[in-house]
Amino acid sequence: NYNTVLANDPTQFSHNYYNSMQLWGGLNIAKRWQLLYIVPFHLNKQIDDDGITNQNGLGDASVMANYLLFHKTKTYEHKAGIEQQLWVGGGVKLPTGKMNLNLKDPNITVADVNSQLGTGSIDFIMNTMYNIRIGNWGINTSLMYKINTAKNGYTFGNKFTGSTIGYYNIAMKQINIMPNAGMM
């Protein structure tokens, strides 16, 4: 959440809540290539001196392709094997979320811009992922850098994201399910 109050006029305030859920998925295309996607859904609420505004809906989706730089597997007799992978790649963030602002309006605030479901711009992503798994337990560490482009003369700042996630692999016939927890 994000809260503001004007120092010289406390009747001018804003309490902003930004929440998102994301659907992540991937598909191995060939032995060394994978396609990943992220589809966010935003739940934004702004309470201010003018009332309450809610903006909920689909955000900007991302599509990335990754290349497997190395994949090492070591098995031990009577013990769980160790597997390591290093992926590098890139992709695009598409303007699938709504952007309902005139960004050239001088009365637009940061809160107004941040509460939008999308940015209206096509942005570029570079990423790397390292995965280590011992038996069915694993840790995945990801780094992503997004280069934002301008839309109507407005550019969001570029964004660096890092995450580490611990998971457990449940292998089924054609898919793997991996419950996980981590930090971003």
Side-chain angles (χ1 to χ4, degrees):
N1 71 47
Y2 179 76
N3 299 306
T4 59
V5 176
L6 287 181
N8 60 353
D9 185 358
T11 65
Q12 299 291 305
F13 68 92
S14 179
H15 303 293
N16 305 289
Y17 304 90
Y18 306 113
N19 297 289
S20 359
M21 297 179 286
Q22 297 179 335
L23 174 65
W24 290 60
L27 177 65
N28 291 330
I29 301 171
K31 191 172 187 172
R32 292 193 166 268
W33 288 95
Q34 68 178 191
L35 187 63
L36 302 174
Y37 63 87
I38 303 169
V39 181
F41 187 85
H42 298 296
L43 302 159
N44 298 334
K45 183 177 186 177
Q46 182 175 0
I47 303 169
D48 61 22
D49 50 283
D50 293 328
I52 298 173
T53 305
N54 290 297
Q55 289 206 54
N56 305 326
L58 181 68
D60 289 345
S62 299
V63 179
M64 295 169 282
N66 289 328
Y67 179 76
L68 182 62
L69 276 182
F70 78 80
H71 183 185
K72 295 182 180 182
T73 304
K74 181 140 182 142
T75 56
Y76 298 94
E77 191 174 317
H78 305 295
K79 292 186 181 180
I82 298 175
E83 180 180 18
Q84 297 181 75
Q85 297 176 338
L86 179 63
W87 296 86
V88 295
V92 294
K93 188 229 19 109
L94 303 168
T96 55
K98 289 183 182 177
M99 169 58 109
N100 296 323
L101 291 178
N102 175 1
L103 297 172
K104 294 184 179 183
D105 182 347
N107 296 317
I108 295 297
T109 67
V110 171
D112 295 327
V113 174
N114 287 337
S115 68
Q116 296 300 299
L117 301 176
T119 64
S121 64
I122 296 174
D123 304 322
F124 302 96
I125 300 167
M126 296 179 294
N127 67 301
T128 184
M129 292 186 304
Y130 173 73
N131 189 59
I132 184 167
R133 186 169 70 183
I134 300 171
N136 288 327
W137 294 94
I139 296 175
N140 180 285
T141 300
S142 299
L143 302 173
M144 184 184 321
Y145 188 73
K146 184 165 62 91
I147 301 165
N148 292 308
T149 63
K151 174 67 175 181
N152 296 329
Y154 186 92
T155 305
F156 285 88
N158 294 340
K159 185 177 181 179
F160 173 78
T161 306
S163 68
T164 297
I165 298 170
Y167 65 90
Y168 183 79
N169 184 50
I170 302 169
M172 301 177 88
K173 289 182 182 179
Q174 294 292 325
I175 62 171
N176 289 342
I177 297 175
M178 297 180 184
N180 63 76
M183 294 188 317
M184 178 180 278

